[in-house]
Amino acid sequence: ELKVEQNPLFLSMQEGKNYTIYCNYSTTSDRLYWYRQDPGKSLESLFVLLSNGAVKQEGRLMASLDTKARLSTLHITAAVHDLSATYFCAVGPQGGSEKLVFGKGTKLTVNP
Amino acid sequence: NAGVTQTPKFRILKIGQSMTLQCAQDMNHNYMYWYRQDPGMGLKLIYYSVGAGITDKGEVPNGYNVSRSTTEDFPLRLELAAPSQTSVYFCASSLLTGASGNTIYFGEGSWLTVV
């Protein structure tokens, strides 16, 4: 059974600082997603990672995937207040299953 | 620019009542999904559909039913509502299989409380 663990679950950081959110998963996967969710809102797709070593960047966010370690990271560079949100990773079991498994989310608060 | 539209946005149900959450997408997507999100948790897949007339169970299907008579619509039916079904429900869609890494688009969510 695929399990997805994110850490930390809560992250409070100062503007301008760097930090990394980790997403570990328990079985072989063929794709990994990162989503952002603002309070009371829907999920916004940030990145889709499909292969070992994949790295994608958008603004101050960079996501990477290490399939051998079953680990994805979401790195935040020089955080700004607008990045405050909850970030989820979601993993697709290998074999093309539609049944994505989500982590519990990391609630990020960026303080001025 | 509608995307995935869910109705209602908020609903309070009494235990034992039934209701249908509506979901429509205007992107001609084949794949549609229903997820629930409990407080402080990630999303869990209830049901999904790979095309009109085809549905399959997700991780937590008990207490729910779905149908997909058209490409655009994917309603979720709650029969005999229970307090455990208090949650936020998200409908989502994808052009092709999520297995290929296609972006999955989510609706705004439906907040359901069962009392």
Side-chain angles (χ1 to χ4, degrees):
Chain A
E1 180 188 351
L2 174 59
K3 294 188 185 301
V4 178
E5 189 174 304
Q6 275 182 248
N7 65 82
L9 298 182
F10 298 92
L11 177 55
S12 180
M13 55 192 295
Q14 296 293 117
E15 279 192 329
K17 298 291 188 184
N18 303 333
Y19 210 84
T20 301
I21 299 170
Y22 297 89
C23 175
N24 290 90
Y25 53 97
S26 61
T27 64
T28 306
S29 164
D30 55 19
R31 65 201 188 281
L32 189 141
Y33 300 81
W34 283 98
Y35 288 93
R36 168 184 171 141
Q37 185 180 37
D38 293 302
K41 300 294 185 182
S42 186
L43 279 75
E44 174 191 355
S45 178
L46 296 174
F47 303 107
V48 181
L49 303 170
L50 300 177
S51 59
N52 187 43
V55 177
K56 291 194 175 180
Q57 182 163 7
E58 180 75 32
R60 300 173 187 276
L61 301 177
M62 182 174 71
S64 66
L65 178 62
D66 181 343
T67 58
K68 293 178 182 176
R70 296 177 186 161
L71 170 69
S72 179
T73 60
L74 181 65
H75 187 73
I76 303 155
T77 302
V80 293
H81 180 68
D82 285 352
L83 289 179
S84 296
T86 299
Y87 293 85
F88 291 94
C89 66
V91 181
Q94 192 164 40
S97 169
E98 299 299 325
K99 299 178 183 178
L100 285 186
V101 178
F102 280 74
K104 291 185 177 181
T106 297
K107 185 173 182 179
L108 171 66
T109 304
V110 181
N111 303 303
Chain B
N1 204 16
V4 180
T5 303
Q6 292 180 232
T7 56
K9 194 167 179 75
F10 300 96
R11 181 75 186 265
I12 298 175
L13 272 183
K14 292 185 179 179
I15 294 171
Q17 286 186 322
S18 299
M19 76 158 296
T20 299
L21 297 175
Q22 302 290 345
C23 176
Q25 52 90 10
D26 62 358
M27 297 175 281
N28 203 29
H29 284 176
N30 293 311
Y31 290 75
M32 295 188 75
Y33 312 84
W34 274 107
Y35 287 89
R36 61 177 284 172
Q37 183 180 30
D38 297 325
M41 302 293 287
L43 278 68
K44 293 191 175 182
L45 183 64
I46 305 171
Y47 271 95
Y48 67 97
S49 169
V50 302
I54 306 170
T55 63
D56 205 351
K57 295 178 181 178
E59 187 182 357
V60 289
N62 291 343
Y64 307 94
N65 280 299
V66 293
S67 60
R68 182 104 180 263
S69 57
T70 66
T71 300
E72 294 78 19
D73 300 300
F74 190 39
L76 177 71
R77 177 102 178 138
L78 281 73
E79 305 281 2
L80 298 174
S84 61
Q85 293 178 303
T86 294
S87 191
V88 183
Y89 292 83
F90 288 98
C91 181
S93 74
S94 174
L95 176 60
L96 299 173
T97 172
S100 61
N102 273 263
T103 300
I104 300 173
Y105 297 88
F106 285 82
E108 294 280 311
S110 296
W111 274 253
L112 177 66
T113 302
V114 182
V115 296

